[in-house]
Structure formats: C-alpha cells, structure tokens
Amino acid sequence: MDKLAIVGGARLAGEIPVSGAKNAALPILCAALLTDEPLEIENVPRLRDVDTLLALLARMGVAIEREGATLRLQAQRIASPEAPYELVKTMRASILVLGPLVARCREAVVSLPGGCAIGARPVDQHIKGLQALGAEVRVEHGYIHATTPGLRGARLVPDLVTVTGTENLLMAACLAEGTTVIENAAREPEVSDLARCLVAMGADIEGIGTDTLRVRGVRRLHGARYRVMPDRIETGTYLCAAAITGGQVRLTRADPDALEAVLAKLAEAGCRIETGPDWVALEAPPRLRAVDVRTAPYPGFPTDMQAQFMALDTVAEGSGVIRETIFENRFMHAVELQRLGADIRIDGNTAVVKGVARLDGATVMATDLRASAGLVVAALKAEGETVIERIYHLDRGYEQLEEKLGALGAQVRRIR
C-alpha cells in the first residue's frame, strides 16, 4: 500500500493550477443519467473517486470517452438501474445515482454507501424527498429499492441541510411532472454548479445559490457541454500548505469567490491575500497567529478545511479553538498530529490547539480524505521526515498532489 514521505522545512513558493472540483464533478457525472444525449464535461479531475463513479456508470450502460480532462458520457440506454455494493462501498457520492435513476428509469436499486469514516451521514433525507415526489422506497438487505409510476412535483423541506440530498432531489425533480420547491436547500457552490449544468441541459431551475430551489419539471433533458468549477478545497489546502511554511504562492484557474470564509481566516492568521477573477495569491508571515474556527454549512467555514486549519494552529502563536458542527467524528487526525508533537486537547466537538515551537517528523496514519490533507500540511512544517500511511484517501480527492507540491519546492515522494 502506498505511503507519502515528506521532508519538512522547505518554504513553498511558486505558481500551480487548481484542478476541477471533485464534489462538483461527481454529481455532474451522475446527471448524464438524465438524458439519452451526450453530456460533455470539461475540467474533470483524475481521481480515484471519479474512476469509481465512471466504473459504476459504465456498468449501467453509459458510454464513456475521455480525452485529458474532458469526459463525454452518453446514457442512450440504461442497461441496469442498479448500483451494487462492491462499487458503492468506498464512496458515499455514489448515492447520487439514486435520484437520476428513479426519474429516468422509474426504478433504482442502490446500495447504502460507504466513504470516509467521519460520522453518521444518513440517507433518510434522500428517501423522504423521493417519497414526497411519489416514489415508493424501501430499504432491504443494505439496498435502497425505489419505484414510481412517475414522479410528481412537491414541496420538500429536509430536516437538515444536506448537500448530496439537495443534489439528488434536484436531479430527480428536473424530470418530475409539475413544480418542486426544495426548501432548506444546501447552498454550497458545488450544488450551484450542478444546477447550472442541469440548466444547460434544459432544466428549469430558479433560486440557484439560495436555500430555496424551484424546479419546473420538463419532459426530457438534452445533451450539453459544461465546465466543472475549480476545487475550492484543493485551493484552500495548498494555501494552507504555503502558509504553514512561511511561503508565497499563486494559484491559477481558481475561484476565490467560493472561498471567502477560508481566505478571511488566512488573513486573520496574518497572511497577505490577493485575488483576481480566476487566481488567488498568498504571502505568509514568519509565524502565523492562531485562529478560532467553527465549521458551518456554506457560506460558513467548510468542514472540509477544518483539519488543515488545525494543522496551522499547531505551530501558530497563541491558541486556537476549533469547533466541528457538521460531523461528530472528524477529529481523528488530532491524535496523529499529536504524534508530530502538537498540543491538542479534545472535548466533544471542540479542540483547543496550543501552538508549539516545532513539530517533529514521525509515521502517521490517514483516517479520511481531509484528515490526510491536514497531515500533509503539518508534515511540510515538521523537522525531519514524516511518513503518511493509507494515502489512498488522498488519491480520492487530490489530483497530482506530489507533483503540485513538488512544483512549489516541497520534498515529497510516494513510497511503498
């Protein structure tokens, strides 16, 4: 199993491009199930999660062609509206085939999903929403079975804000008869990116970017060409990597507007931030100031950046308080950071991080995708070599991580 070896101490500097957003690309790929015409998607990152989803779509009968970062998908005929456990178990986003399959095929059999072990992420909101749209849904032997004579518009009010739930119901509503109103909808930029792709395919959606989406169902969607937005979490991760090393970087093909909460915290930590329409630059001080972080649904501070900021606070001046409000089991990286010499105290969903003068390299283990990124950020600062095990998590969400960090001057290599 691959590991990542990082020799800390190098000051990161230079310019690299940002890849397409994983969390936008995955639902957009699933949207190809809604039409029998070709959907051409640009700026798709090469990631393990993308490969897993493509294997699932191919099993259903979707024709797939890839040329660089552009994918051409055509679901002219869906051979099997089923998502089996062996393809679903490693990636929670595979649940996103449920809505399109029910809308297009009027039936679906989808395994309950897996993914990162960061806490309970129930699919009950997906199920309740589909039932409100007229589907009969039951869960048996680890599978969701859904059938319908035809979906009908309804008013949907999820009990909590759910990104994949909003995306699943949004796609299903596009082919439902009548009007669907989704209240308490997730406002994440990736949800809006999916909505804009659906509009390009002929969907009638109002309220994009707000917490109320109004969808007037259409008889059919057509093919389209669409470009996936830049990955805001990748952007934030490389900015944190530069910040902890006292570096200076410029990230191109980025979307600073989608990262306002993160940029504000980096500025609070003492970094100088400059932005343009499609780039963001950071210059770090000799030592960061500790910052407090409270995760929240967009436009609040993203939970996917919590581990990276915990890493920053470990060597910052002062103490930072980090509160995780989204997932109840997302501090597993704290124990690994302590192996590097971090001073962290955990009390429920709150971590108090006291900055130390130095971190020392050690062998650590990645527990989930973003925890892995937090360990990488810390390793870039630690003295000596840090070996990060179980980096298959990183391969799920970061395209060409070693190459991009290496281009900025980091000493990073993949080992077995």
Side-chain angles (χ1 to χ4, degrees):
M1 189 176 294
D2 287 359
K3 306 173 185 178
L4 210 60
I6 299 176
V7 178
R11 177 180 179 270
L12 299 194
E15 179 178 299
I16 56 172
V18 174
S19 299
K22 173 183 86 84
N23 289 340
L26 296 177
I28 288 172
L29 289 171
C30 292
L33 293 169
L34 291 167
T35 177
D36 60 1
E37 296 184 12
L39 179 61
E40 197 161 303
I41 311 168
E42 301 175 342
N43 202 32
V44 179
R46 285 191 175 272
L47 301 169
R48 179 173 292 188
D49 273 8
V50 170
D51 291 341
T52 299
L53 183 58
L54 291 177
L56 175 58
L57 294 175
R59 178 172 177 144
M60 293 177 182
V62 180
I64 301 169
E65 299 175 10
R66 181 159 204 164
E67 184 175 343
T70 300
L71 280 167
R72 186 178 186 273
L73 284 70
Q74 186 168 11
Q76 190 166 17
R77 175 179 168 272
I78 297 176
S80 172
E82 180 177 352
Y85 174 71
E86 61 265 24
L87 286 174
V88 169
K89 63 183 179 180
T90 61
M91 186 181 67
R92 179 173 177 78
S94 52
I95 191 69
L96 289 166
V97 301
L98 179 62
L101 287 176
V102 174
R104 171 98 180 268
C105 304
R106 300 193 174 186
E107 64 174 324
V109 180
V110 178
S111 171
L112 293 170
C116 288
I118 57 176
R121 297 192 282 183
V123 298
D124 59 317
Q125 302 303 310
H126 305 242
I127 293 172
K128 289 179 182 178
L130 288 174
Q131 288 172 331
L133 292 173
E136 180 180 324
V137 186
R138 67 185 191 279
V139 180
E140 294 178 347
H141 308 296
Y143 279 81
I144 302 169
H145 298 254
T147 58
T148 180
L151 298 178
R152 294 182 176 275
R155 178 173 174 264
L156 309 179
V157 188
D159 298 330
L160 49 84
V161 178
T162 160
V163 173
T164 54
T166 299
E167 291 168 339
N168 236 339
L169 299 176
L170 177 62
M171 287 189 281
C174 287
L175 294 181
E177 183 180 340
T179 299
T180 298
V181 178
I182 306 174
E183 300 185 14
N184 200 27
R187 298 168 56 191
E188 270 68 9
E190 295 81 7
V191 176
S192 298
D193 209 36
L194 169 64
R196 286 189 290 268
C197 177
L198 293 169
V199 169
M201 297 169 65
D204 186 346
I205 304 171
E206 294 179 359
I208 296 174
T210 75
D211 60 4
T212 302
L213 296 170
R214 181 179 294 272
V215 187
R216 296 179 182 86
V218 296
R219 285 187 174 276
R220 63 184 301 272
L221 296 177
H222 53 69
R225 185 180 181 95
Y226 191 78
R227 184 176 180 83
V228 174
M229 66 175 286
D231 196 314
R232 62 190 175 109
I233 306 303
E234 183 194 46
T235 305
T237 299
Y238 287 122
L239 292 175
C240 286
I244 202 170
T245 65
Q248 184 173 1
V249 297
R250 188 175 190 269
L251 304 183
T252 59
R253 303 181 193 171
D255 182 4
D257 292 341
L259 208 61
E260 289 183 353
V262 170
L263 296 182
K265 283 297 175 182
L266 285 168
E268 186 180 328
C271 298
R272 180 184 174 189
I273 306 290
E274 294 183 5
T275 61
D278 59 355
W279 60 268
V280 57
L282 175 145
E283 182 178 356
R287 189 178 186 189
L288 299 169
R289 296 190 296 267
V291 294
D292 297 337
V293 167
R294 181 183 184 277
T295 65
Y298 189 86
F301 189 92
T303 182
D304 282 353
M305 286 299 303
Q306 176 255 104
Q308 297 89 315
F309 269 77
M310 183 180 288
L312 295 188
D313 277 351
T314 62
V315 293
E317 183 179 357
S319 297
V321 177
I322 297 178
R323 292 183 175 86
E324 175 58 61
T325 72
I326 308 298
F327 298 120
E328 74 279 6
N329 195 25
R330 211 169 198 183
F331 281 157
M332 291 186 288
H333 48 279
V335 175
E336 303 303 313
L337 289 172
Q338 288 169 344
R339 289 180 52 79
L340 301 178
D343 184 346
I344 305 171
R345 289 186 295 107
I346 304 293
D347 183 10
N349 70 337
T350 301
V352 179
V353 187
K354 183 178 180 180
V356 298
R358 57 177 275 177
L359 299 175
D360 292 310
T363 298
V364 294
M365 182 179 69
T367 53
D368 62 73
L369 171 54
R370 304 309 175 182
S372 307
L375 295 177
V376 169
V377 170
L380 291 167
K381 182 66 173 179
E383 297 187 21
E385 183 175 82
T386 298
V387 176
I388 304 174
E389 299 182 342
R390 294 175 64 180
I391 62 165
Y392 59 83
H393 290 294
L394 284 169
D395 292 335
R396 290 183 49 225
Y398 289 91
E399 182 179 46
Q400 298 180 317
L401 178 76
E402 306 100 284
E403 291 85 348
K404 289 186 177 183
L405 286 175
L408 296 176
Q411 296 184 54
V412 183
R413 72 187 193 280
R414 186 175 289 243
I415 60 175
R416 289 191 180 273

